[in-house]
């Protein structure tokens, strides 16, 4: 059995190609399937089956299109309500794929109809656990609504034990989530590989002996997740189409100006340092270079019913289009060029200050607000004394709560605060972007609380 891991670090997820040297199965394919197809071609195998562990909540699947293009069986739980033809599969059912024996195991918890797949070949065994057992944790159980959370958390507990009976301790474990995805109920462990047996001694779903305590603790530690998740399940159940990943013709200066004046979402992809120094008035800063933060936080705050325009280099625009297609933001327009000022010379340029913690201590008058745009649980754990917390993902809808006057904006690393500073300036506020690691604030001399 040969397993190829297909990483999508921008979303903290993995897809998998499994083959016996002749025929292959792909599990949990991301939407940009050209990556998968190139790996299948390199392996010199025939793709005969594509499978989903669940109807995903954090990305748009490429499984349906991949299966159709290759004439492969599309294995989706028969209990899932979908609008496309699939090869229904159920708990306990085994499918023979060449020399691979693939058994579906019901592991509800992340979703009601979640499946894991136990694959056996030539004495080897591997478990593809999707959003069930992850490295050090399990998939979160609150994505289908609060009324389901308690029941699904009990299901996660039981499902972990079901997997322990269905596979050996030596079985390699291959989860889909848990590498930075918000689909994980806990932080990523940093592990790149594991076995089921290793999880027995390191994963709280196994080490916690009290089911009720496990349930209450997991639920208490669930944090906010990106708002774009609400769009993913319905899109996947409807049957996603293949995305258009081509770079569109660049907008002319007048059209770009009109969009900015109309208050449309025009996103500048340059580094936040370059953006703060000079940018087109009305644009929003989402630095592309930090791919994981770009996809997650743009998807979190962008209104899905609006047109998106990207401004940046051809390379950044091309990469951003691919990343955004994975979360269902299709066919954005673009103004392509290294210097935004040259793309719209008839639009005024503006800037705002960017400082580190030393700059805060030296330049901030005592009465001016420090605005913390980290998530609430981050702020609760530790924060600058007197800071006002409005999480980035709530900032647009809570703009009327932002205090008057100059705003010294920080987050955990400088990325979110750069986005927030641009949103504040766009709303007529006066931001100062604190581009620094929060962990260094105390050492720099900022008073801390929490």
């Amino acid at each position: 059995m040969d397993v190829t891991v297909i990483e999508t670090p921008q979303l903290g997820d993995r897809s998998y190609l499994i083959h016996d040297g002749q025929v292959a199965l792909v599990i949990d394919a991301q939407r940009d399937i050209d990556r998968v197809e190139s790996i299948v071609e390199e392996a010199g195998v025939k793709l005969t089956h594509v499978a989903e562990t669940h109807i995903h909540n954090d990305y748009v699947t490429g499984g349906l299109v991949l299966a159709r293009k290759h004439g492969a069986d599309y294995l989706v739980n028969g209990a899932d309500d979908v609008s496309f033809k699939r090869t229904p599969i159920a708990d306990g059912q085994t499918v023979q794929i060449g020399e691979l024996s693939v058994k579906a195991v019901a592991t509800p918890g992340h979703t009601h109809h979640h499946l894991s797949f136990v694959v056996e070949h030539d004495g080897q065994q591997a478990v593809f656990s999707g959003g069930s057992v992850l490295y050090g944790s399990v998939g979160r159980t609150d994505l289908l609504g609060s009324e389901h959370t308690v029941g699904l958390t009990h299901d996660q507990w039981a499902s972990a034990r079901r997997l322990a009976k269905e596979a050996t301790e030596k079985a390699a474990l291959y989860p889909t989530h848990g590498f930075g995805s918000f689909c994980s109920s806990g932080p990523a462990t940093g592990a790149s590989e594991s076995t089921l047996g290793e999880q027995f001694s390191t994963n709280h779903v196994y080490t916690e002996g009290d089911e009720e305590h496990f349930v209450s603790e997991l639920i208490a530690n669930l944090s906010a997740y990106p708002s774009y998740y609400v769009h993913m399940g319905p899109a996947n159940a409807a049957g996603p189409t293949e995305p258009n990943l081509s770079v569109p013709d660049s907008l002319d200066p007048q059209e770009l100006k009109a969009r900015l004046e109309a208050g449309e979402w025009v996103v500048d992809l340059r580094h936040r340092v370059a953006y703060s120094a000079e940018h087109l008035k009305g644009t929003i800063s989402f630095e592309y270079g930090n791919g994981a933060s770009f996809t997650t936080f743009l998807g979190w705050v962008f209104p899905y019913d609006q047109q998106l325009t990207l401004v940046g280099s051809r390379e950044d625009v091309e990469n951003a289009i691919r990343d955004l297609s994975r979360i269902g933001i299709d066919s954005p327009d673009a103004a392509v060029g290294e210097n935004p000022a040259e793309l719209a010379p008839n639009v005024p340029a503006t800037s705002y200050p960017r400082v580190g913690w030393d700059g805060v201590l030296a330049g901030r008058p005592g009465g001016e607000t420090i605005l913390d745009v980290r998530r609430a649980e981050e702020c609760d754990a530790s924060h600058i004394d007197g800071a006002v917390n409005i999480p980035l993902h709530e900032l647009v809808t809570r703009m009327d709560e932002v205090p008057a006057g100059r705003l010294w904006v920080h987050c955990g690393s400088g990325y979110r605060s750069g986005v927030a500073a641009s949103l504040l300036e766009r709303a007529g506020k006066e931001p100062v972007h604190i581009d620094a690691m929060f962990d260094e604030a105390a050492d720099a001399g900022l008073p801390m609380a929490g």
Side-chain angles (χ1 to χ4, degrees):
M1 174 168 43
D2 187 286
V3 179
T4 301
V5 178
I6 306 168
E7 300 269 9
T8 306
Q10 296 89 338
L11 295 176
D13 290 323
R14 287 179 170 181
S15 306
Y16 299 97
L17 171 71
I18 310 100
H19 67 83
D20 64 358
Q22 300 294 323
V23 295
L25 160 73
V26 168
I27 295 178
D28 290 345
Q30 286 276 338
R31 194 179 183 198
D32 51 330
I33 61 172
D34 56 331
R35 295 185 298 152
V36 179
E37 291 179 306
S38 66
I39 292 172
V40 171
E41 184 176 356
E42 287 176 15
V45 295
K46 178 177 176 58
L47 180 60
T48 61
H49 292 75
V50 177
E52 303 284 3
T53 57
H54 59 293
I55 302 298
H56 301 283
N57 287 291
D58 67 332
Y59 66 85
V60 178
T61 182
L64 176 61
V65 170
L66 182 65
R68 286 177 173 172
K69 287 184 69 174
H70 291 263
D73 288 347
Y74 189 33
L75 305 177
V76 177
N77 194 327
D80 279 317
D81 184 13
V82 297
S83 62
F84 50 83
K85 290 184 178 180
R86 38 73 196 276
T87 302
I89 191 167
D91 178 39
Q93 185 176 343
T94 298
V95 177
Q96 198 67 31
I97 303 175
E99 296 179 2
L100 304 173
S101 175
V102 181
K103 183 178 182 179
V105 179
T107 47
H110 189 48
T111 64
H112 290 296
H113 303 136
H114 189 285
L115 295 173
S116 295
F117 294 98
V118 179
V119 182
E120 296 186 5
H121 174 239
D122 196 23
Q124 291 181 290
Q125 193 176 61
V127 176
F128 297 86
S129 56
S132 183
V133 177
L134 313 181
Y135 293 164
S137 188
V138 293
R140 66 187 303 151
T141 57
D142 60 336
L143 298 179
L144 302 185
S146 58
E147 68 273 21
H148 300 284
T149 302
V150 172
L152 286 171
T153 310
H154 281 285
D155 288 343
Q156 278 290 48
W157 168 273
S159 291
R161 280 145 186 79
R162 172 81 190 281
L163 276 181
K165 293 178 181 179
E166 292 286 347
T168 68
E169 291 188 13
K170 293 182 180 180
L173 183 66
Y174 295 103
T176 299
H177 306 312
F179 308 96
S181 168
F182 279 85
C183 271
S184 174
S185 64
T189 65
S192 60
E193 61 183 31
S194 187
T195 62
L196 193 59
E198 185 177 38
Q199 294 305 304
F200 294 163
S201 60
T202 59
N203 192 316
H204 67 132
V205 74
Y206 291 116
T207 59
E208 173 56 69
D210 185 326
E211 179 176 353
E212 291 298 334
H213 185 262
F214 168 81
V215 170
S216 61
E217 185 178 59
L218 184 146
I219 292 174
N221 289 321
L222 289 171
S223 59
Y225 57 85
S227 59
Y228 67 80
Y229 277 26
V230 71
H231 302 284
M232 302 298 98
N236 287 324
T241 58
E242 186 169 6
N244 179 3
L245 301 180
S246 62
V247 176
D249 292 338
S250 187
L251 295 177
D252 64 46
Q254 282 303 120
E255 178 60 25
L256 184 57
K257 178 183 179 182
R259 294 187 180 200
L260 287 167
E261 290 178 345
E264 292 190 15
W265 274 67
V266 179
V267 167
D268 188 324
L269 301 175
R270 294 175 303 150
H271 194 281
R272 57 187 184 265
V273 174
Y275 180 90
S276 64
E278 183 181 38
H279 52 269
L280 298 177
K281 185 178 181 180
T283 56
I284 304 166
S285 174
F286 275 94
E287 174 189 339
Y288 179 74
N290 191 329
S293 293
F294 168 79
T295 309
T296 297
F297 291 109
L298 178 53
W300 207 330
V301 301
F302 173 66
Y304 265 60
D305 60 347
Q306 294 190 23
Q307 176 63 43
L308 175 66
T309 301
L310 304 174
V311 178
S313 69
R314 185 174 186 84
E315 180 181 3
D316 282 351
V317 169
E318 185 173 21
N319 289 332
I321 288 172
R322 177 179 292 271
D323 289 353
L324 293 172
S325 74
R326 298 177 183 138
I327 59 171
I329 300 177
D330 287 330
S331 303
D333 289 328
V336 181
E338 301 286 344
N339 185 351
E342 295 177 356
L343 296 172
N346 49 359
V347 175
T350 186
S351 64
Y352 48 69
R354 172 183 157 272
V355 300
W357 294 120
D358 289 345
V360 178
L361 289 169
R364 170 182 167 260
E368 292 187 345
T369 300
I370 292 180
L371 182 63
D372 181 345
V373 297
R374 296 175 301 152
R375 299 191 307 278
E377 63 271 14
E378 295 175 272
C379 181
D380 290 343
S382 178
H383 59 269
I384 297 170
D385 192 27
V388 174
N389 177 227
I390 301 179
L392 172 62
H393 62 274
E394 299 176 5
L395 184 59
V396 172
T397 58
R398 295 177 58 187
M399 195 64 74
D400 59 348
E401 298 178 35
V402 174
R406 191 157 59 161
L407 303 158
W408 298 71
V409 192
H410 84 86
C411 63
S413 67
Y415 188 91
R416 284 174 287 176
S417 54
V419 177
S422 69
L423 288 168
L424 289 163
E425 185 195 49
R426 183 171 177 258
K429 310 292 185 181
E430 187 182 354
V432 177
H433 176 203
I434 303 174
D435 191 4
M437 299 297 294
F438 176 74
D439 290 346
E440 299 171 358
D443 289 343
L446 276 295
M448 306 301 291

